[in-house]
Amino acid sequence: EKLKEYIACLYQEEHLEIMQCTYTLSKVEKINRKSIQKLVVTNPYTLGLKELMLAFIADQDEIIHRHFNEAIKNLFHIKYYYLEALYYYCIFLKKIGSSLFDTKRSEGISLCKEYRYQYLHFLFHNISLNKKPKYAFNYDFYDTPGLELFVQKHNSEWEKYFRENEVA
């Protein structure tokens, strides 16, 4: 409800913010076609998000395929959203029993590992399970010695900085 209120308060010219927030909302509830169609497309990223939202609400497999493929094509340059679109496409492919499922899922797993998206890797890896295991962050995923200590050190420095510079 707070997200809906926020979207409603945005100025019409805040195209990108409206698109991004509506996309986030579309992942938790169905958005009507009219609301999606009136969203302003300003670049391939916004077109990709719009196509993804249209895929979420389409009811014919051929149309769903088309929207997912357009979304994936337009989001390719932003790897996180590309992989998120590919993940939702895999869910659809699994649901309809498509032979593309294994290929696309393998691509997603491989690219998540390459681009180091641990949570998306977890989602792709577990997409076939009927019951999802609980996600747990793990520094070992990144195969970078000393990463955990580096993060802890810099987090401590930032915490100290914010405590010392707190606004009263």
Side-chain angles (χ1 to χ4, degrees):
E1 291 307 311
K2 288 194 180 223
L3 182 55
K4 287 180 189 178
E5 289 172 23
Y6 176 71
I7 293 168
C9 290
L10 292 170
Y11 291 105
Q12 198 172 19
E13 293 81 7
E14 293 180 275
H15 308 297
L16 184 58
E17 186 73 3
I18 293 168
M19 180 71 76
Q20 291 175 143
C21 291
T22 304
Y23 170 65
T24 299
L25 184 61
S26 77
K27 293 193 290 183
V28 293
E29 73 176 43
K30 204 169 193 164
I31 307 291
N32 69 54
R33 177 174 303 285
K34 189 176 180 181
S35 296
I36 295 169
Q37 287 178 329
K38 72 178 185 179
L39 294 169
V40 177
V41 171
T42 57
N43 54 40
Y45 167 66
T46 56
L47 179 57
L49 292 184
K50 190 170 185 175
E51 289 289 341
L52 203 46
M53 288 184 273
L54 289 169
F56 293 164
I57 65 164
D59 56 5
Q60 295 176 3
D61 291 353
E62 186 179 315
I63 294 170
I64 296 170
H65 275 289
R66 190 183 70 219
H67 285 305
F68 272 123
N69 284 313
E70 282 298 310
I72 288 166
K73 179 180 79 175
N74 283 287
L75 293 170
F76 183 76
H77 66 294
I78 304 175
K79 297 306 181 205
Y80 182 87
Y81 285 98
Y82 170 78
L83 286 166
E84 191 170 78
L86 187 60
Y87 169 72
Y88 288 117
Y89 187 42
C90 283
I91 290 173
F92 166 71
L93 294 173
K94 179 181 180 257
K95 179 181 166 191
I96 65 166
S98 173
S99 59
L100 285 174
F101 171 72
D102 288 329
T103 304
K104 295 296 183 181
R105 181 179 170 267
S106 293
E107 177 188 352
I109 289 172
S110 175
L111 289 174
C112 286
K113 192 74 173 156
E114 180 180 343
Y115 296 120
R116 299 175 172 219
Y117 291 124
Q118 185 176 165
Y119 180 66
L120 284 173
H121 182 269
F122 167 82
L123 293 177
F124 275 105
H125 186 72
N126 293 297
I127 203 170
S128 296
L129 302 176
N130 292 331
K131 185 178 181 185
K132 274 191 186 150
K134 189 172 175 137
Y135 172 72
F137 175 83
N138 187 337
Y139 282 102
D140 294 339
F141 177 83
Y142 298 98
D143 195 29
T144 304
L147 179 62
E148 185 172 6
L149 292 173
F150 175 85
V151 170
Q152 289 172 351
K153 176 183 180 231
H154 288 279
N155 280 348
S156 294
E157 289 172 4
W158 277 109
E159 287 172 11
K160 180 182 175 191
Y161 171 81
F162 285 120
R163 272 193 311 276
E164 292 172 354
N165 295 294
E166 216 170 344
V167 178

